Amino acid sequence: MPENVRSKATAVVGAQWGDEGKGKVVDYLASSYDFTARYAGGHNAGHTVIFGDHRYVLQLVPSGILRPGKRAVIGPGTVVDPAALVGELENLKRSGVDVRGRLFLSNRAHVIFPYHREMDKASEAALGAAKIGTTSRGIGPAYEDKMARRGIRVCDMLEPECFRAKLERVIGEKNAISQAAYGHPLDFSGMLDQYLELAAHIRGLVTDTAVLLNEALDRGESVLFEGAQGTMLDIDHGTYPFVTSSSATSGGAATGSGVPPTRITGVLGVTKAYTTRVGSGPFPTEMNGLEAEAVRARGNEFGAVTGRPRRCGWLDLMVLRYAKLLNGIDSLAVTKLDVFDEQAEIKICTGYRLKGRPISAMPPDVESLSQVEPEYRTVPGWQKSTAGIRDVRDLPTAARDYLNFISDELQVEIGMISTGPDRDATILPRGTKLASWV
Ligand code: GDP
Ligand code: IMO
Ligand code: MG
């Protein structure tokens, strides 16, 4: 893409295991885009946006909604728990954010029901120590039903008689499964009435969002796709089975929104200056206990949704190379640089060895990935505060060296640097493609 062309349809994707700071990055860029669109996942996501005295954790509603006058889409590739959505809208209203006429929900998105949550919890309990560590929001079971072609979609909720018939059929099926697998039926009393009431709340948001976004692009308007989760949690490319159930990578922006791949003009990958992961599964660069504790405390690494402590590790260039390849990342946002301010030395994983031999490809199976030995380069820390810095020239030399090393190794420009949770604690290095986008 030529440097002077502003990307009209840009996907923002997590390059690691989620929680990279996508909410902050999307909020920053959203002021320059007409629409923000979520294309995957559900309220398993937690996207934090902080400016002034305001702090929001958005789960389903795209972060761009916080920009006055901007429009936002929850696309067909998402799974929507209507109770969670209505709760989120009420919270936004209480904070003075009016979404009327600005938020659009796809008529094709799949609906999460209480039985999905129950199934999620039951299947995790049955796995015992091998559990995935899901967010217990029913995400996996809702996508299972979608793929099995027995899901109920937002459009189905809007026709009460049709909805009743579909739900009754599904309840029969779910009870048979629950009885066989867990020895008891599920309690569905009140569910239909509750969902009919929720349908009344969301009816006004529902539309064909693929048409909406494509027509907006036809008019020359711009769309920012807000990825949820991260590349290593992608159902096809991540550390399966320790993944989520949707397409978190940039390809998902096309299928999950109905905007064709030929119209997506830029991909911004988001990475922390280190790595975190919540839930189970292999994590080659995981820090030892004391190192992790220090980073967790400085980075406040606790889940935005579940409050769970996040596992912390060193930056992993094998993961980022893989993320660049899969997403077509042409610019990288590096967040949480300030968390390393006190670090005397910083380790960066430049490659893996498996059974003593260097490997270039990401192993597909968790057994191999659990066995890889990361090769580290150790660089000096800067031991100065970078918190809130907004000009790249004010960064300590060692911090710039760290960023340049990442950029050189990955052969990708760094288009944004984040030096604190606040909207303003952001650097746009000059002369980059990203700077020309905004
Ligand atoms: P997301 O899921 O990718 O949107 O990320 P989360 O919001 O779950 O987690 C990122 C956390 O890091 C949030 O608490 C943000 O407020 C915070 N954060 C984002 N950027 C920075 C940064 O540059 N420095 C610091 N210290 N915190 C940041
Ligand atoms: P954002 O958008 C971090 C993880 C869960 C679990 C696995 C499967 O805030 O980056 P699920 O409930 O999706 O079936 O859980 O995926 N997970 C996330 N981790 N950030 C997220 O979203 C996540 N969404 C799901 O912890 O390991
Ligand atoms: Mg998050």
Side-chain angles (χ1 to χ4, degrees):
M1 188 169 46
E3 293 210 355
N4 57 355
V5 174
R6 180 173 180 272
S7 174
K8 281 276 181 197
T10 307
V12 175
V13 295
Q16 300 170 309
W17 276 276
D19 300 329
E20 296 90 349
K22 298 174 295 292
K24 155 152 188 179
V25 168
V26 167
D27 166 68
Y28 189 90
L29 295 175
S31 67
S32 309
Y33 284 81
D34 298 299
F35 281 89
T36 316
R38 276 280 304 270
Y39 59 85
H43 66 311
N44 49 349
H47 295 180
T48 315
V49 176
I50 297 174
F51 52 91
D53 297 335
H54 304 279
R55 181 177 185 276
Y56 299 91
V57 179
L58 292 145
Q59 296 199 250
L60 259 170
V61 178
S63 305
I65 202 77
L66 301 176
R67 295 285 189 173
K70 300 291 182 182
R71 285 158 289 167
V73 161
I74 302 173
T78 62
V79 284
V80 176
D81 181 329
L85 176 59
V86 168
E88 195 171 338
L89 295 179
E90 279 167 4
N91 282 340
L92 284 169
K93 196 171 176 185
R94 264 197 294 278
S95 316
V97 180
D98 187 359
V99 306
R100 269 176 307 174
R102 302 199 291 131
L103 179 66
F104 305 92
L105 170 63
S106 169
N107 49 12
R108 290 178 171 81
H110 277 252
V111 179
I112 300 180
F113 288 91
Y115 50 77
H116 291 128
R117 269 197 311 276
E118 295 304 319
M119 297 281 183
D120 196 349
K121 286 184 201 151
S123 100
E124 284 283 90
L127 283 168
K131 71 176 183 190
I132 294 164
T134 71
T135 58
S136 320
R137 300 293 193 269
I139 304 293
Y143 278 114
E144 277 178 50
D145 277 355
K146 166 178 166 166
M147 290 312 191
R149 296 162 295 180
R150 56 170 177 252
I152 294 180
R153 301 188 297 170
V154 167
C155 54
D156 301 320
M157 278 182 74
L158 304 182
E159 288 294 331
E161 277 322 301
C162 177
F163 183 46
R164 187 185 302 273
K166 285 192 179 170
L167 203 53
E168 274 166 7
R169 195 191 66 230
V170 171
I171 286 172
E173 277 174 25
K174 296 294 169 197
N175 265 336
I177 295 169
S178 179
Q179 188 72 48
Y182 312 115
H184 59 83
L186 300 169
D187 180 7
F188 289 110
S189 54
M191 192 175 72
L192 180 66
D193 289 341
Q194 185 206 356
Y195 271 68
L196 286 173
E197 200 182 314
L198 289 166
H201 275 90
I202 60 172
R203 179 179 294 277
L205 309 175
V206 180
T207 190
D208 187 327
T209 56
V211 171
L212 181 76
L213 290 178
N214 278 291
E215 287 184 353
L217 289 167
D218 290 344
R219 289 192 301 272
E221 294 183 346
S222 54
V223 181
L224 188 63
F225 296 95
E226 178 170 351
Q229 290 77 54
T231 303
M232 300 307 278
L233 291 172
D234 181 279
I235 184 72
D236 294 302
H237 306 290
T239 47
Y240 191 90
F242 299 100
V243 292
T244 190
S245 300
S246 63
S247 298
T249 43
S250 61
T255 53
S257 72
V259 172
T262 45
R263 298 196 95 165
I264 297 179
T265 48
V267 180
L268 175 66
V270 187
T271 175
K272 285 177 180 165
Y274 48 96
T275 312
T276 62
R277 131 162 248 184
V278 223
S280 331
F283 185 178
T285 63
E286 189 159 14
M287 291 168 174
N288 70 37
L290 278 180
E291 288 167 340
E293 245 172 68
V295 169
R296 188 175 302 121
R298 287 204 298 270
N300 193 21
E301 294 296 356
F302 297 90
V305 175
T306 57
R308 289 181 292 176
R310 295 177 181 145
R311 297 159 67 192
C312 298
W314 302 105
L315 192 72
D316 187 338
L317 295 179
M318 279 293 279
V319 165
L320 294 187
R321 262 184 225 116
Y322 185 57
K324 181 189 166 193
L325 174 110
L326 292 169
N327 293 290
I329 292 172
D330 42 24
S331 190
L332 196 65
V334 179
T335 63
K336 305 197 95 160
L337 189 70
D338 55 299
V339 174
F340 270 167
D341 283 354
E342 287 168 34
Q343 204 75 31
E345 285 187 333
I346 298 172
K347 294 205 299 187
I348 312 166
C349 167
T350 54
Y352 294 160
R353 277 178 181 271
L354 184 60
K355 300 197 172 94
R357 290 217 183 92
I359 53 170
S360 56
M362 184 62 69
D365 57 307
V366 291
E367 290 75 16
S368 300
L369 192 58
S370 307
Q371 285 172 35
V372 299
E373 295 150 41
E375 293 188 314
Y376 288 109
R377 168 183 283 245
T378 304
V379 297
W382 39 95
Q383 298 191 286
K384 279 191 195 117
S385 174
T386 62
I389 287 182
R390 298 172 65 177
D391 188 322
V392 78
R393 290 168 299 190
D394 295 336
L395 285 177
T397 311
R400 265 186 279 167
D401 289 346
Y402 183 62
L403 295 167
N404 285 335
F405 182 75
I406 297 168
S407 174
D408 290 345
E409 285 282 315
L410 298 174
Q411 287 295 296
V412 71
E413 66 172 31
I414 293 179
M416 187 188 281
I417 303 156
S418 174
T419 55
D422 199 87
R423 184 185 273 175
D424 291 338
T426 305
I427 303 173
L428 290 188
R430 247 180 286 187
T432 64
K433 260 190 240 169
L434 185 72
S436 64
W437 290 0
V438 295

